[in-house]
Structures are given as structure tokens and as C-alpha cells.
Amino acid sequence: MQLRYSFRLYPDAGRQRALAKAFGCARVVFNDAVRAREDARKADTAFPTAGELSKRLITRAKQTVERCWLGEVSVVVLQQALRDAETAYRNFFASLKGTRKGPRIGPPRFKSRKDKRQSIRFTANARWNITDSGRLNLPKIGPVKVKWSRTLPATPTSVTVIKDAAGRYFASFVIDTDPAADATRMPDTDQTIGIDLGLTHFAVLSTGEKIDSPRFLRRAEKKLRKAQRELSRKQKGSKNREKARLKVARAHAKVTDARREFHHQLSTKLISENQGIAVEDLSVKALARTKLAKSVHDAGWSSFISMLEYKAERYGRILVKIGRFEPTSQTCSTCGVKDGPKPLNVREWTCTACGTVHDRDINAAINVKTAAGLAASACGAPVRPGAIPAQREETGSHGFPTDPRAA
């Protein structure tokens, strides 16, 4: 399977200007491709092929006065922008036909130079390399300093350079993992576990362990509120407003990074200790419409479950997602009698059939494990669901959603 390894970049002023030029050229080619498709649709003619667009928007455009500056950046960056537009249209048509999973998406939209997130991609034929001094050498950009937080397990197949809303630069490498090395890293075990996700505690395990919710957003609310208030008082278009915007973006980025680190550490711990894991398929979108919306988004359940999915596939674990309508909080885990719904303020209850006193969350976690069929399964025993594909992110367009990187 393929995963992404992201590292922080620290380009100097000259490299930042070169990257800004590459971001702009890729954006122009993407917008030209979308405009060509839209013109063909309005004229009721056949869509131009990728080869035709490449000749018209890149090769011939470089020879014109209006687009001669496209030759100042690597041609691979421009070709990948065309591929992104092609992928966006392919996903849009698949969504119309109903063959693409998830919510329906709209057609690709034009990218704006005011977009705070910019990205370009270099494939292997772009002849980028990592120098002996540890810098990332990019064509027509030059060597860029990289903060190596870990070693790459294999040779990358491509690298995506990203500038986020907080003004930070990242290099995201695509790596093909080695199944043999992954199996050695995490040997099989006979432990299975059920997880009940919540807000009071982020996760309650069927073993009785309770993991507190860090509530990163709630803890940073005071600082965010002050930064947002300062931003609202700045004049639009001024340099002071841009500085205030960066301050808000960096505060949000700090919260996001802390939450992602917590999810990674917890998901890796659960995957390494258990052969089978059961979770509930929560409707996060529906819960986000309630008065608990901020707390639901702060917990980040979807991101955590996505990490469990791709790590389970990578290391040969079993992940089972039970239906969201399973009465895990209403059923006695001892005798199996359904005792009826209970309000959220009831954290302990006594079964009317067998008299067992239950902790609401621990009882639900045990029922999640039982409903998934893991309570009686042996190490490596098959269960009803199959393998779950890992999530990964590429340089995308506005036409379809992008998820957090899976590195």
C-alpha cells in the first residue's frame, strides 16, 4: 500500500519566490483546463483529450507572449496540474453516475490566487533528488532545507510541496510500504478489543480503560477568540490584516497538529496491542448538526477511525465497524437483555433482569466487541468484513474534497 510521509520545509526568500511562481503557473494551467472543458460543454462539442490540452495549454502556450512565463517552471508541475483537472472531472462524473462512494460532489471550480493553500507535485521523471547534505533539490527551484523528523523507509515515488494557510511549507513523499517489514514490526497477537467513542472520554475500551478527551479546541478557545477579534478589527486588504490572519491560521494549525498527533499515538497503540478492533460507525455529519457540534468536531472521530482503517490494513489487523443503530448502550452485556433507551446524564444503570450494575460506556464498549463478532474469535480468525483500503491525499482541486494526509 502507499502512504505519505510529510516533513517541514524551510525555503529561503529566493526559494519562496520560485515556489510562488510554480504555484501560480500550476494554478493557471489548471484554470485553463477547466475553462477549455467548460467552453466545450457550452458549445456542445466533445471534451478535449488530455493530450490535446497538453499541447494547447503548455507546449503552444509557452510560445505565446501571454503565457511565455510558463517555461520558467518545471514542465512536470504543469503536467500534474492537468492530471489534477482530469481527476477532478473523472470524480465528478463518477459521482453523477453513483459509482463514487460518499456525498455527491460538484464540477471543478477555478482556483484563486488568493487561496491560502497551494500545492505542486513532482513525479520521479522530474529528476528531483535529496542531496548529500539532506536538502530537497527541486527542478528550477533549487535545494530547500528539510527538517527530517524520521528516515524514509523506501525510495519515494513522488513529492508534493504544500504551502498551508499558516504560511508553512511541507514536502509530502509517497512511499510504497514493505509488507514483510510491516509484519515484522507488529507480530500477531491474540487480543481483541471494542471501542466506544464519546465526548466525556474520547474512547472507552472493553477492558475498562478510559482515555480522556484532550479537547484541544476548547483549551485554545481563549487564544483563538482574542486572535479572531484582532483580525476583525483590521482593515481589509491591509498588511496588518494579513499578519492578523496568519496569527489566527497558526493558532488553528497548532490545534490541528496536536489533535492529529494524539490520534496517531492512540491508533498506533491500539493497533500494536490488538489483533481485532471493533468500533461503531458513527454518523458524525448528523451529530455535527446538534448543539454538541463543536465538541464533536473537536474530538475528530472520523480522522481517528480513518487512521485505524489504514493502519489495520497495513499491519494485517482486523477492523470491524458495526452499525450505528446497534443498541449498545441499551443492552446488558452480561445477560443480553435490552433494557431500553436512557438519557445521556445516566452514566450507570442496573439491569432489571440480572441485577448487574453497569458503567454505561464500558458496557457499550463490550457490546460493540460482541456485536462485531470479536468476543469469540481467535487470533487471525476471519470475521465478516473484508479489507479496508487506506486513505491518502494527492494534490487536489476544489471540485472534490481532500482528507488529512495519512502519513
Side-chain angles (χ1 to χ4, degrees), residues 321-338:
K321 296 166 69 174
I322 69 169
R324 63 190 61 167
F325 299 109
E326 193 76 24
T328 55
S329 298
Q330 306 176 23
T331 306
C332 174
S333 59
T334 303
C335 63
V337 173
K338 185 176 179 181

Side-chain angles (χ1 to χ4, degrees), residues 33-69:
V34 173
R35 186 177 294 107
R37 289 289 184 92
E38 287 298 308
D39 292 343
R41 181 186 64 83
K42 292 178 181 178
D44 199 17
T45 58
F47 274 10
T49 63
E52 294 174 358
L53 290 176
S54 178
K55 292 180 182 179
R56 185 199 311 174
L57 303 180
I58 299 178
T59 306
R60 297 173 187 168
K62 290 180 181 180
Q63 302 171 2
T64 64
V65 179
E66 296 82 5
R67 294 285 192 269
C68 61
W69 34 264

Side-chain angles (χ1 to χ4, degrees), residues 352-370:
T352 56
C354 64
T356 305
V357 179
H358 291 293
D359 180 283
R360 180 191 183 107
D361 297 327
I362 297 177
N363 176 73
I366 296 174
N367 288 331
V368 169
K369 178 180 176 180
T370 303

Side-chain angles (χ1 to χ4, degrees), residues 214-281:
R215 301 180 181 179
F216 296 105
L217 181 62
R218 294 289 187 181
R219 285 159 47 187
E221 269 188 328
K222 184 177 180 181
K223 183 178 181 180
L224 286 169
R225 191 181 300 113
K226 180 180 178 181
Q228 189 66 50
R229 186 165 55 244
E230 292 176 355
L231 173 62
S232 65
R233 292 172 178 171
K234 298 296 186 292
Q235 184 178 358
K236 291 186 178 180
S238 65
K239 291 184 178 180
N240 285 336
R241 183 177 178 86
E242 178 61 21
K243 293 177 184 178
R245 187 202 64 79
L246 276 176
K247 190 175 181 180
V248 173
R250 286 167 183 164
H252 279 290
K254 187 175 181 179
V255 172
T256 302
D257 292 344
R259 183 188 297 115
R260 184 184 300 114
E261 181 68 15
F262 169 73
H263 288 167
H264 270 299
Q265 291 183 359
L266 179 58
S267 59
T268 300
K269 178 178 180 293
L270 295 175
I271 288 291
S272 61
E273 295 176 354
N274 301 278
Q275 186 68 25
I277 299 177
V279 294
E280 190 175 2
D281 184 20

Side-chain angles (χ1 to χ4, degrees), residues 66-83:
E66 296 82 5
R67 294 285 192 269
C68 61
W69 34 264
L70 290 177
E72 299 177 7
V73 301
S74 173
V75 68
V76 175
V77 170
L78 308 180
Q79 293 288 353
Q80 294 304 309
L82 287 181
R83 290 191 60 186

